[in-house]
Amino acid sequence: MLYEYILIFIGAAIPWLEIALVIPVGIIRGLSSFWVMILAFVGNLLTVLPVIIGFEKVRTWYEKRQLKKGKEPSKRSNRGRKIWDKYGLPGLAMLGPILTGTHIAAFIGMSLGSEKKWVTLWMTISIGVWTLIFGIATILGLDIFL
């Protein structure tokens, strides 16, 4: 059973899987909802923080990658920019986990000029809130069917 909890942690840390998928799957599998939510939160946050802290290196790498491919910004990046224009950093952070993913939301927030401390604060709040939402919704959803 320990390996299932390790998989929850790793799954939450992987961009695009993140908390929206691993929390419901872990709870539905019968794992402790408390530990699933804690491990998913920590796993996701621990991989978002390096993006924020190492932003300059990530941004340089990303820009070079995009230039080599000759690509325009992705749909996710454009969606993140629209959210930013409408709601600012708090809106981007709160909507990021469900629309763009937490890693991309953090990257977009940093690339639009936000300070590391504010991006860290809002991403932590966002991941915490969405962890609770996904966990409680899954638990309540299961209770309806049981």
Side-chain angles (χ1 to χ4, degrees):
M1 185 180 271
L2 178 62
Y3 76 93
E4 290 177 315
Y5 287 107
I6 293 169
L7 289 175
I8 293 294
F9 179 84
I10 293 169
I14 297 172
W16 299 288
L17 285 182
E18 299 187 11
I19 57 177
L21 179 64
V22 299
I23 291 174
V25 168
I27 293 172
I28 290 169
R29 280 275 296 138
L31 299 174
S32 164
S33 55
F34 174 78
W35 287 112
V36 166
M37 291 167 56
I38 293 293
L39 290 170
F41 172 81
V42 172
N44 194 242
L45 187 61
L46 285 179
T47 57
V48 169
L49 289 176
V51 172
I52 295 168
I53 294 167
F55 169 71
E56 289 303 321
K57 289 183 181 185
V58 172
R59 183 167 120 190
T60 303
W61 168 82
Y62 183 77
E63 288 173 353
K64 285 180 184 177
R65 182 174 168 238
Q66 294 299 62
L67 287 175
K68 285 181 183 178
K69 291 182 178 183
K71 286 187 172 182
E72 293 296 316
S74 69
K75 288 181 184 179
R76 286 181 178 226
S77 294
N78 288 336
R79 193 179 310 152
R81 180 62 187 200
K82 287 179 186 176
I83 294 168
W84 177 268
D85 291 342
K86 192 169 185 177
Y87 303 108
L89 178 60
L92 177 66
M94 294 307 292
L95 294 173
I98 58 170
L99 296 178
T100 63
T102 55
H103 301 84
I104 293 173
F107 183 81
I108 291 169
M110 292 298 298
S111 66
L112 295 174
S114 295
E115 293 181 36
K116 288 180 183 180
K117 67 180 179 180
W118 293 114
V119 174
T120 302
L121 174 69
W122 279 106
M123 290 309 299
T124 303
I125 291 169
S126 173
I127 294 168
V129 167
W130 282 107
T131 295
L132 290 173
I133 289 171
F134 290 128
I136 292 169
T138 303
I139 293 165
L140 293 177
L142 288 177
D143 285 346
I144 289 172
F145 295 110
L146 294 177

